[in-house]
Amino acid sequence: MFSKRKSIPQPATSGRFEIGRDGHLAYLEYTLTGNILQLIHTEVPEAVRGQGLASELAKSALDWAR
């Protein structure tokens, strides 16, 4: 027979990492629940795409998580 465990709700925090370039703002949205970091979405303005900003954002988020 399995025992039923009550899980304790973890508070969730939402935020984003941001990089400004040439007057434009690129960002990566995330949520953090307990020790689980969920990377949700990156947005890079068309004018600054192709410069590796999304990769920089993801690397920053993963470095922060470590």
Side-chain angles (χ1 to χ4, degrees):
M1 178 177 244
F2 295 99
S3 65
K4 292 184 179 180
R5 290 188 203 170
K6 290 186 178 183
S7 61
I8 300 171
Q10 298 288 320
T13 301
S14 297
R16 61 191 212 174
F17 293 89
E18 300 177 341
I19 297 176
R21 180 84 39 96
D22 299 330
H24 299 278
L25 184 66
Y27 62 88
L28 181 153
E29 295 177 337
Y30 71 87
T31 59
L32 180 63
T33 306
N35 64 352
I36 299 173
L37 175 66
Q38 184 177 12
L39 305 179
I40 306 295
H41 174 74
T42 57
E43 185 68 37
V44 178
E46 192 171 333
V48 290
R49 289 184 184 162
Q51 299 179 24
L53 296 179
S55 294
E56 284 184 50
L57 288 164
K59 182 180 182 327
S60 295
L62 294 173
D63 287 346
W64 179 74
R66 285 186 194 101

